[in-house]
Amino acid sequence: MIRQFLSEDVMLESVKYPDILHKGKQLEAQNFCMSLLEERFGNIDASIVEQVEVLSKEQLEALGRAKSGNFIDS
């Protein structure tokens, strides 16, 4: 248990930790948006996937929120 705590403590103090955390949240948002798109439109063309992959986290969140408007329910 002490080893686990020390490892976590060291990780949290790492200079790279915020970058890793941000990337994880970015991937989570991408996956969520892709699932929404696939739910609505079925298989998504690779060119669309590439466009989704370059969106910022804020843009992905806006896309996800659009589900409550006219994005999914038409």
Side-chain angles (χ1 to χ4, degrees):
M1 185 165 173
I2 293 173
R3 280 185 170 175
Q4 183 180 6
F5 176 75
L6 290 175
S7 296
E8 183 177 337
D9 188 43
V10 169
M11 180 182 68
L12 291 173
E13 292 178 11
S14 168
V15 175
K16 289 291 194 179
Y17 181 72
D19 293 336
I20 294 167
L21 187 61
H22 175 75
K23 184 62 175 175
K25 289 180 179 182
Q26 179 84 12
L27 289 173
E28 182 180 355
Q30 285 176 359
N31 290 337
F32 178 71
C33 287
M34 288 306 304
S35 68
L36 291 176
L37 290 169
E38 288 172 352
E39 179 182 316
R40 174 67 171 97
F41 302 108
N43 288 335
I44 305 299
D45 187 79
S47 65
I48 302 296
V49 173
E50 289 173 6
Q51 291 177 36
V52 170
E53 289 175 345
V54 298
L55 295 175
S56 70
K57 183 176 169 284
E58 292 76 19
Q59 290 171 314
L60 290 164
E61 289 171 351
L63 181 60
R65 281 191 302 272
K67 178 186 182 294
S68 63
N70 294 325
F71 181 69
I72 296 292
D73 302 319
S74 44

